[in-house]
Amino acid sequence: MNAPRLAAAGLAATIMVASGCAVVVGNETTKPAQVSTAPVKVIYHVSEGSDQATNALRNIRNHLSADPTAKISVVTHANGIDFLLDGAKDKNGNDYMSNVQELVKRGVDFRVCRLTLERRNIDAKKVIEEARLVPSGVAEVARLQAREGYVYLKP
């Protein structure tokens, strides 16, 4: 097939796919992908401490402003758990609690790695009640991606 005909065939196939028509290529029929109306599910992975936690909370507020239906889970481990401990403050001395509580009201859930608590000798009672413990933060990230279809973001 010459170049102009090939280009015309490609354009026709693109138009058909965009309009919802099936496209026959050789002996195969290709159907357009279905567009899901289900909420987007997102993991915000926090493992680096105060600056990353502050960025994550800001990103999540912005995310929910753009897409209020998003289902967001914040998974923490290592130094990332610190902002979810009772009395935690950012580098400017502001409590994290009000930001976390506001996001919980908007459907965000927060998860803290139990292994991190154990390795750092932190009593689980120090974790704020808005967060829940998971056996392992990295295992939770993998589980949410592989089994529940979450997309991954690291602020």
Side-chain angles (χ1 to χ4, degrees):
M1 191 179 273
N2 66 27
R5 281 190 178 173
L6 186 58
L11 177 60
T14 301
I15 291 169
M16 291 175 70
V17 169
S19 65
C21 297
V23 178
V24 177
V25 179
N27 292 328
E28 295 183 30
T29 301
T30 304
K31 295 182 181 178
Q34 295 295 319
V35 176
S36 175
T37 58
V40 173
K41 298 186 293 185
V42 182
I43 302 162
Y44 278 80
H45 180 199
V46 180
S47 61
E48 299 170 18
S50 179
D51 287 343
Q52 186 192 25
T54 299
N55 290 337
L57 295 172
R58 183 184 61 251
N59 290 169
I60 294 165
R61 280 192 305 277
N62 292 342
H63 191 147
L64 290 172
S65 292
D67 180 6
T69 66
K71 180 174 171 54
I72 297 175
S73 291
V74 179
V75 180
T76 66
H77 69 94
N79 291 334
I81 73 164
D82 293 353
F83 81 104
L84 295 173
L85 299 177
D86 190 39
K89 297 181 185 304
D90 66 18
K91 67 181 180 184
N92 296 319
N94 301 310
D95 286 328
Y96 281 108
M97 182 60 92
S98 61
N99 287 314
V100 170
Q101 288 173 332
E102 176 232 331
L103 291 173
V104 167
K105 287 178 187 172
R106 296 177 73 185
V108 176
D109 69 271
F110 293 84
R111 303 172 192 200
V112 173
C113 174
R114 183 180 299 277
L115 283 174
T116 296
L117 293 173
E118 291 169 3
R119 288 188 180 143
R120 291 178 56 191
N121 293 315
I122 298 171
D123 188 336
K125 292 176 185 170
K126 286 207 49 134
V127 175
I128 62 173
E129 67 182 51
E130 289 78 5
R132 69 181 177 102
L133 298 182
V134 294
S136 163
V138 293
E140 184 71 358
V141 168
R143 187 188 70 74
L144 289 171
Q145 287 182 286
R147 296 196 180 138
E148 296 192 31
Y150 277 69
V151 297
Y152 177 90
L153 292 175
K154 184 144 185 165

